[in-house]
């Protein structure tokens, strides 16, 4: 089956509270030469007009509708509009996974970032197998 990524880039919607870490991560991905293999774009809330205080549900639905992979830190697991609840209720086999950085405190560590970037690329290269997976933690 034709991979979703094809030749056009895969867009990641970057959770507003990890923008700084995401920029570090993208730098690591770029330095590793991965963009030659998988074109990736990181998109910030501001660029797409999402409010920084948008609920997890709104953010998840936006990402799915626009065929973006949500990249997040560990957003809360509680409440009616939490990411966890939203995925449980709305996730289908055609839903893109949500990729969660396991430990943002370690993102300043190059080795940790490199592991995250490699894992991210692995997921993209095998995206068909991760459709509907819900939440994936990296590295």
């Amino acid at each position: 089956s034709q991979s979703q990524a094809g030749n056009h880039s895969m867009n990641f919607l970057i959770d507003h509270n990890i923008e700084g870490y995401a920029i570090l991560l993208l730098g690591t991905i770029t330095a590793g030469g991965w963009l030659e293999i998988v074109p990736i774009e990181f998109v910030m809330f501001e660029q797409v007009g999402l409010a920084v205080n948008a609920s997890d549900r709104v953010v998840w639905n936006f990402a799915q509708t626009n065929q973006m992979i949500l990249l997040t830190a560990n957003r809360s697991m509680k409440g009616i509009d939490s990411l966890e609840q939203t995925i449980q209720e709305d996730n289908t086999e055609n839903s893109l996974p949500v990729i969660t950085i396991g430990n943002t405190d370690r993102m300043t560590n190059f080795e940790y970032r490199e592991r995250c970037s490699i894992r991210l690329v692995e997921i993209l290269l095998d995206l068909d197998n991760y459709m509907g997976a819900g939440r994936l933690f990296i590295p």
Side-chain angles (χ1 to χ4, degrees), residues 66-117:
N66 293 283
Q67 288 288 290
M68 295 171 149
I69 293 178
L70 179 60
L71 182 67
T72 178
N74 222 338
R75 268 187 174 240
S76 90
M77 307 258 183
K78 296 191 190 77
I80 193 150
D81 283 330
S82 73
L83 195 51
E84 216 52 38
Q85 191 70 30
T86 302
I87 289 171
Q88 277 175 19
E89 291 172 13
D90 298 341
N91 198 45
T92 72
E93 61 192 28
N94 298 316
S95 299
L96 286 160
V98 171
I99 297 182
T100 299
I101 296 168
N103 185 350
T104 49
D105 292 341
R106 293 185 61 196
M107 283 297 283
T108 50
N109 174 303
F110 176 77
E111 203 173 283
Y112 184 81
R113 257 195 341 268
E114 195 167 44
R115 284 172 50 213
C116 286
S117 67

Side-chain angles (χ1 to χ4, degrees), residues 118-138:
I118 290 168
R119 187 70 194 110
L120 194 82
V121 170
E122 285 174 352
I123 291 167
L124 281 186
L125 291 175
D126 204 15
L127 192 56
D128 289 347
N129 287 324
Y130 291 104
M131 297 301 284
R135 207 176 168 122
L136 302 172
F137 287 85
I138 62 172

Side-chain angles (χ1 to χ4, degrees), residues 8-60:
H8 63 281
S9 64
M10 188 70 227
N11 291 332
F12 283 83
L13 181 62
I14 305 305
D15 203 349
H16 74 95
N17 59 1
I18 60 158
E19 286 182 5
Y21 296 123
I23 290 163
L24 284 174
L25 182 60
L26 188 58
T28 307
I29 291 169
T30 308
W34 295 112
L35 296 182
E36 316 293 312
I37 301 163
V38 237
I40 294 170
E41 272 184 56
F42 279 14
V43 180
M44 308 299 172
F45 278 24
E46 200 183 354
Q47 291 171 261
V48 290
L50 273 172
V52 292
N53 60 351
S55 74
D56 289 1
R57 188 176 295 271
V58 165
V59 170
W60 187 86

